[in-house]
Amino acid sequence: MPWYHHTSIYQIYPRSFYDSNGDGIGDIQGIIQKLDYIKSIGYESIWCSPFFKSPQQDFGYDVSDYCDIAPEYGTLADAQQLIDETHRRGMKIVFDMVMNHTSVEHPWFKKDAAKQNDADYYIWRDKPNNWKSMTGGSGWQYSPERKQYYWASFLPFQPDLNYRNPEVKKAMLDNVRFWLRRGVDGFRLDIFNVIYKDSLLRDNPFSWKAIPDEKNPNGFFQQFKYTINQPESMAFAKELRNVCNEFGDRILLGEVSGNRKIIRKFSGEEKNDGLGLVFNFEMLRFKFKAKYFDELVRNIETDFPEPFMPVYVFSNHDRRRSIKRLKDDTQKAKLLHLFQLTVRGVPCMYYGEEIGMTDARIPFKKGLDPIAQKMKKYPRFIFDLAGETPNRDELRTPMQWNDSANAGFSSAGKTWLPVNKDFISVNVDAEQKNTGSLLNYIQHILKIRNSNEAFTKGSLELIPQKELPGNVLGYKRKYGPSEFTVLLNLSTKDKAVTLNAKTIQVPAISGVILSSNGKIQ
Ligand code: NOJ
């Protein structure tokens, strides 16, 4: 099994993690200073959202130079030091590659707009077709300089690259190799499933679907038939895997969307020869019910059987924090993480989740996030009703390290986003001192996970729901002679579970891990 199938990932949003130089913005030296903290929780890999050179219109997801670092985050030497320091601690480091699009500030785009490239680096057309962007509205943007429209899958300042031009593919794969050569252990791949568009730019068919969702990206009354999940994108996944293979076992974790059968194609079709890991975002909108998790695991085990490995993720830098969906209930958050860390899959946790950091409420009309800017014409209550936030600032607030000014994140007078008000009680320092805290709980479960291969490499068998009391989830993990049973009581009542003629008491909203010699947690 490759290492990246049994690792655990901690996602860092560099701008908000730790500010080492007092300018109010997190930076690479800040991450280096906190590596020991991440290691102490028990995470084996870190994934850093992008810190490449960028005008920061989408806070790094708009790159203007893939082989340099934005000055507010540091230098190339800092990035190298981060790679080396992570490795020195026996951990792995994953960079975030935004291959689908660049910033409009990228020299490639400037040259294309001036028609100075021999073959187009971007996708141009005299007249837009009917394609909608992933964020709504036409994705075609007019360039007054070139007097043509360019295609942008996400936001107008993020033009999509034209991978049908072999020069583009070569140049981007050279960027990938640039970092692999420097020791990066692989990449999280931004919106990888839109990397190819239909070569004939055919109009997308009509659909009644208004709002895209995790299982079905169609929306805005359009079937994204020609803009998403093209077969060429799946073939490119294999090509990228081969590039990584030049350097040994490297992680490729795809941000893709669609139903499980489609996203599995990015991982590898029959065998694991594609990206190897893909996010399955359906679980970002989880329901705190045993039946929900039972069905989720059952479906995932069907669509991602060994040698595939699923990824379990409940929060990221784009969506509501998981604890917010649990109405800030720490006890429920413990159970959610117990599930995430013991089920068969790679757990991926967003910074701050380990201490129960929740979404701040920031007036979205003032949002720095370009999505908030785009959505501000709509009334906020629509998003509240849908259980989502239109302002990603709310879930990107500075990491809460302690109860001092700026939650110990920065010594600046003003931080780039405000610190959430709850930092006085919700912070690393306080939780390290409190034995019953969420942080100590996650650390404890990670210790169990990291010292038992049944959890990292073992098979999974669900205990049928009909053999369990209502709202209890149960599964077995096995690896060689080692075997564990995990029971999670998601209800507010204590439950008695009888397994093999033995009865186990599981208190309300809590979980137990049983080994063959008894209870270990
Ligand atoms: C997905 C990323 O997760 C998000 O933060 C970003 O805004 C878009 N892709 C565009 O790169």
Side-chain angles (χ1 to χ4, degrees), residues 58 61 101 154 158 188 190-191 255 317-318 392 396:
D58 191 13
Y61 285 94
H101 50 265
F154 204 73
Q158 291 163 317
R188 175 262 185 192
D190 193 70
I191 50 173
E255 187 194 28
H317 62 290
D318 291 328
R392 297 176 297 177
R396 297 174 174 177

PDB file of all heavy atoms in Angstrom, residues 58 61 101 154 158 188 190-191 255 317-318 392 396, ligand 1:
ATOM      1  N   ASP A  58      -8.014  35.735  -5.335  1.00  0.00           N
ATOM      2  CA  ASP A  58      -8.696  34.600  -4.701  1.00  0.00           C
ATOM      3  C   ASP A  58      -7.740  33.963  -3.684  1.00  0.00           C
ATOM      4  O   ASP A  58      -7.662  32.755  -3.539  1.00  0.00           O
ATOM      5  CB  ASP A  58      -9.136  33.570  -5.765  1.00  0.00           C
ATOM      6  CG  ASP A  58     -10.067  32.510  -5.192  1.00  0.00           C
ATOM      7  OD1 ASP A  58     -10.574  32.699  -4.070  1.00  0.00           O
ATOM      8  OD2 ASP A  58     -10.269  31.479  -5.860  1.00  0.00           O
ATOM      9  N   TYR A  61      -5.407  31.180  -5.014  1.00  0.00           N
ATOM     10  CA  TYR A  61      -5.933  30.259  -6.034  1.00  0.00           C
ATOM     11  C   TYR A  61      -5.964  30.953  -7.400  1.00  0.00           C
ATOM     12  O   TYR A  61      -6.708  30.576  -8.290  1.00  0.00           O
ATOM     13  CB  TYR A  61      -7.299  29.702  -5.617  1.00  0.00           C
ATOM     14  CG  TYR A  61      -7.152  28.647  -4.530  1.00  0.00           C
ATOM     15  CD1 TYR A  61      -7.258  28.974  -3.186  1.00  0.00           C
ATOM     16  CD2 TYR A  61      -6.832  27.327  -4.861  1.00  0.00           C
ATOM     17  CE1 TYR A  61      -7.085  28.012  -2.200  1.00  0.00           C
ATOM     18  CE2 TYR A  61      -6.658  26.362  -3.876  1.00  0.00           C
ATOM     19  CZ  TYR A  61      -6.783  26.715  -2.547  1.00  0.00           C
ATOM     20  OH  TYR A  61      -6.600  25.750  -1.578  1.00  0.00           O
ATOM     21  N   HIS A 101      -6.341  26.801 -13.985  1.00  0.00           N
ATOM     22  CA  HIS A 101      -6.335  28.201 -14.406  1.00  0.00           C
ATOM     23  C   HIS A 101      -5.159  28.930 -13.780  1.00  0.00           C
ATOM     24  O   HIS A 101      -4.558  28.454 -12.818  1.00  0.00           O
ATOM     25  CB  HIS A 101      -7.643  28.887 -14.000  1.00  0.00           C
ATOM     26  CG  HIS A 101      -8.000  28.676 -12.554  1.00  0.00           C
ATOM     27  ND1 HIS A 101      -8.844  27.672 -12.141  1.00  0.00           N
ATOM     28  CD2 HIS A 101      -7.610  29.315 -11.428  1.00  0.00           C
ATOM     29  CE1 HIS A 101      -8.966  27.706 -10.827  1.00  0.00           C
ATOM     30  NE2 HIS A 101      -8.216  28.700 -10.369  1.00  0.00           N
ATOM     31  N   PHE A 154     -14.150  29.296 -13.182  1.00  0.00           N
ATOM     32  CA  PHE A 154     -14.495  29.705 -11.815  1.00  0.00           C
ATOM     33  C   PHE A 154     -14.840  31.190 -11.769  1.00  0.00           C
ATOM     34  O   PHE A 154     -15.978  31.557 -11.940  1.00  0.00           O
ATOM     35  CB  PHE A 154     -13.367  29.313 -10.856  1.00  0.00           C
ATOM     36  CG  PHE A 154     -13.836  29.160  -9.432  1.00  0.00           C
ATOM     37  CD1 PHE A 154     -14.604  28.080  -9.052  1.00  0.00           C
ATOM     38  CD2 PHE A 154     -13.539  30.125  -8.484  1.00  0.00           C
ATOM     39  CE1 PHE A 154     -15.078  27.950  -7.743  1.00  0.00           C
ATOM     40  CE2 PHE A 154     -14.004  30.009  -7.160  1.00  0.00           C
ATOM     41  CZ  PHE A 154     -14.769  28.922  -6.794  1.00  0.00           C
ATOM     42  N   GLN A 158      -9.657  34.283 -13.360  1.00  0.00           N
ATOM     43  CA  GLN A 158      -8.967  32.980 -13.341  1.00  0.00           C
ATOM     44  C   GLN A 158      -9.155  32.263 -14.686  1.00  0.00           C
ATOM     45  O   GLN A 158      -9.934  31.305 -14.792  1.00  0.00           O
ATOM     46  CB  GLN A 158      -9.514  32.122 -12.191  1.00  0.00           C
ATOM     47  CG  GLN A 158      -9.127  32.674 -10.820  1.00  0.00           C
ATOM     48  CD  GLN A 158      -9.968  32.120  -9.683  1.00  0.00           C
ATOM     49  OE1 GLN A 158     -11.181  32.003  -9.796  1.00  0.00           O
ATOM     50  NE2 GLN A 158      -9.326  31.798  -8.574  1.00  0.00           N
ATOM     51  N   ARG A 188      -2.303  18.495  -3.803  1.00  0.00           N
ATOM     52  CA  ARG A 188      -3.758  18.534  -3.850  1.00  0.00           C
ATOM     53  C   ARG A 188      -4.040  19.307  -5.139  1.00  0.00           C
ATOM     54  O   ARG A 188      -3.388  20.313  -5.434  1.00  0.00           O
ATOM     55  CB  ARG A 188      -4.277  19.269  -2.614  1.00  0.00           C
ATOM     56  CG  ARG A 188      -5.794  19.486  -2.575  1.00  0.00           C
ATOM     57  CD  ARG A 188      -6.121  20.874  -3.061  1.00  0.00           C
ATOM     58  NE  ARG A 188      -7.533  21.194  -2.930  1.00  0.00           N
ATOM     59  CZ  ARG A 188      -8.081  22.255  -3.495  1.00  0.00           C
ATOM     60  NH1 ARG A 188      -7.353  23.094  -4.205  1.00  0.00           N
ATOM     61  NH2 ARG A 188      -9.357  22.496  -3.345  1.00  0.00           N
ATOM     62  N   ASP A 190      -6.417  21.430  -7.503  1.00  0.00           N
ATOM     63  CA  ASP A 190      -7.595  22.302  -7.516  1.00  0.00           C
ATOM     64  C   ASP A 190      -8.487  22.006  -8.730  1.00  0.00           C
ATOM     65  O   ASP A 190      -7.981  21.812  -9.845  1.00  0.00           O
ATOM     66  CB  ASP A 190      -7.091  23.755  -7.574  1.00  0.00           C
ATOM     67  CG  ASP A 190      -8.168  24.760  -7.275  1.00  0.00           C
ATOM     68  OD1 ASP A 190      -8.594  24.821  -6.115  1.00  0.00           O
ATOM     69  OD2 ASP A 190      -8.579  25.482  -8.199  1.00  0.00           O
ATOM     70  N   ILE A 191      -9.780  22.029  -8.535  1.00  0.00           N
ATOM     71  CA  ILE A 191     -10.807  21.732  -9.566  1.00  0.00           C
ATOM     72  C   ILE A 191     -10.267  20.952 -10.772  1.00  0.00           C
ATOM     73  O   ILE A 191     -10.401  21.364 -11.924  1.00  0.00           O
ATOM     74  CB  ILE A 191     -11.611  22.979 -10.009  1.00  0.00           C
ATOM     75  CG1 ILE A 191     -10.755  24.180 -10.379  1.00  0.00           C
ATOM     76  CG2 ILE A 191     -12.584  23.402  -8.931  1.00  0.00           C
ATOM     77  CD1 ILE A 191     -11.606  25.352 -10.987  1.00  0.00           C
ATOM     78  N   GLU A 255      -9.289  17.424  -6.307  1.00  0.00           N
ATOM     79  CA  GLU A 255     -10.566  18.082  -6.012  1.00  0.00           C
ATOM     80  C   GLU A 255     -11.438  17.880  -7.244  1.00  0.00           C
ATOM     81  O   GLU A 255     -11.193  18.468  -8.300  1.00  0.00           O
ATOM     82  CB  GLU A 255     -10.378  19.576  -5.739  1.00  0.00           C
ATOM     83  CG  GLU A 255     -11.689  20.195  -5.273  1.00  0.00           C
ATOM     84  CD  GLU A 255     -11.716  21.715  -5.302  1.00  0.00           C
ATOM     85  OE1 GLU A 255     -10.999  22.321  -6.116  1.00  0.00           O
ATOM     86  OE2 GLU A 255     -12.485  22.293  -4.538  1.00  0.00           O
ATOM     87  N   HIS A 317     -11.463  24.941   3.324  1.00  0.00           N
ATOM     88  CA  HIS A 317     -11.403  26.410   3.271  1.00  0.00           C
ATOM     89  C   HIS A 317     -12.514  27.023   2.417  1.00  0.00           C
ATOM     90  O   HIS A 317     -12.502  28.233   2.180  1.00  0.00           O
ATOM     91  CB  HIS A 317     -10.036  26.822   2.727  1.00  0.00           C
ATOM     92  CG  HIS A 317      -9.808  26.319   1.333  1.00  0.00           C
ATOM     93  ND1 HIS A 317      -9.624  24.984   1.041  1.00  0.00           N
ATOM     94  CD2 HIS A 317      -9.791  26.959   0.148  1.00  0.00           C
ATOM     95  CE1 HIS A 317      -9.508  24.833  -0.254  1.00  0.00           C
ATOM     96  NE2 HIS A 317      -9.596  26.013  -0.829  1.00  0.00           N
ATOM     97  N   ASP A 318     -13.413  26.177   1.906  1.00  0.00           N
ATOM     98  CA  ASP A 318     -14.494  26.683   1.060  1.00  0.00           C
ATOM     99  C   ASP A 318     -15.864  26.550   1.692  1.00  0.00           C
ATOM    100  O   ASP A 318     -16.814  27.181   1.232  1.00  0.00           O
ATOM    101  CB  ASP A 318     -14.530  25.902  -0.266  1.00  0.00           C
ATOM    102  CG  ASP A 318     -13.332  26.192  -1.135  1.00  0.00           C
ATOM    103  OD1 ASP A 318     -12.821  27.319  -1.083  1.00  0.00           O
ATOM    104  OD2 ASP A 318     -12.911  25.283  -1.875  1.00  0.00           O
ATOM    105  N   ARG A 392     -16.662  33.019   2.415  1.00  0.00           N
ATOM    106  CA  ARG A 392     -15.673  32.067   2.921  1.00  0.00           C
ATOM    107  C   ARG A 392     -14.733  32.683   3.963  1.00  0.00           C
ATOM    108  O   ARG A 392     -14.026  31.962   4.662  1.00  0.00           O
ATOM    109  CB  ARG A 392     -14.910  31.440   1.748  1.00  0.00           C
ATOM    110  CG  ARG A 392     -15.807  30.620   0.827  1.00  0.00           C
ATOM    111  CD  ARG A 392     -15.067  30.075  -0.384  1.00  0.00           C
ATOM    112  NE  ARG A 392     -14.564  31.138  -1.229  1.00  0.00           N
ATOM    113  CZ  ARG A 392     -13.822  30.945  -2.329  1.00  0.00           C
ATOM    114  NH1 ARG A 392     -13.507  29.704  -2.687  1.00  0.00           N
ATOM    115  NH2 ARG A 392     -13.402  31.956  -3.057  1.00  0.00           N
ATOM    116  N   ARG A 396     -12.292  31.139   7.488  1.00  0.00           N
ATOM    117  CA  ARG A 396     -10.844  31.280   7.274  1.00  0.00           C
ATOM    118  C   ARG A 396     -10.227  32.201   8.320  1.00  0.00           C
ATOM    119  O   ARG A 396      -9.144  32.745   8.111  1.00  0.00           O
ATOM    120  CB  ARG A 396     -10.605  31.859   5.875  1.00  0.00           C
ATOM    121  CG  ARG A 396     -11.085  30.956   4.760  1.00  0.00           C
ATOM    122  CD  ARG A 396     -10.974  31.630   3.409  1.00  0.00           C
ATOM    123  NE  ARG A 396     -11.314  30.691   2.344  1.00  0.00           N
ATOM    124  CZ  ARG A 396     -11.367  31.017   1.052  1.00  0.00           C
ATOM    125  NH1 ARG A 396     -11.105  32.255   0.666  1.00  0.00           N
ATOM    126  NH2 ARG A 396     -11.676  30.103   0.141  1.00  0.00           N
TER     127      ARG A 396
HETATM  128  C1  NOJ B   1     -11.393  25.471  -5.435  1.00  0.00           C
HETATM  129  C2  NOJ B   1     -10.684  26.015  -4.245  1.00  0.00           C
HETATM  130  O1  NOJ B   1     -10.807  25.140  -3.176  1.00  0.00           O
HETATM  131  C3  NOJ B   1     -11.260  27.390  -3.977  1.00  0.00           C
HETATM  132  O2  NOJ B   1     -10.810  27.932  -2.765  1.00  0.00           O
HETATM  133  C4  NOJ B   1     -10.911  28.276  -5.122  1.00  0.00           C
HETATM  134  O3  NOJ B   1     -11.533  29.534  -4.938  1.00  0.00           O
HETATM  135  C5  NOJ B   1     -11.367  27.679  -6.452  1.00  0.00           C
HETATM  136  N1  NOJ B   1     -11.091  26.275  -6.569  1.00  0.00           N
HETATM  137  C6  NOJ B   1     -10.699  28.359  -7.619  1.00  0.00           C
HETATM  138  O4  NOJ B   1      -9.349  28.022  -7.675  1.00  0.00           O
END
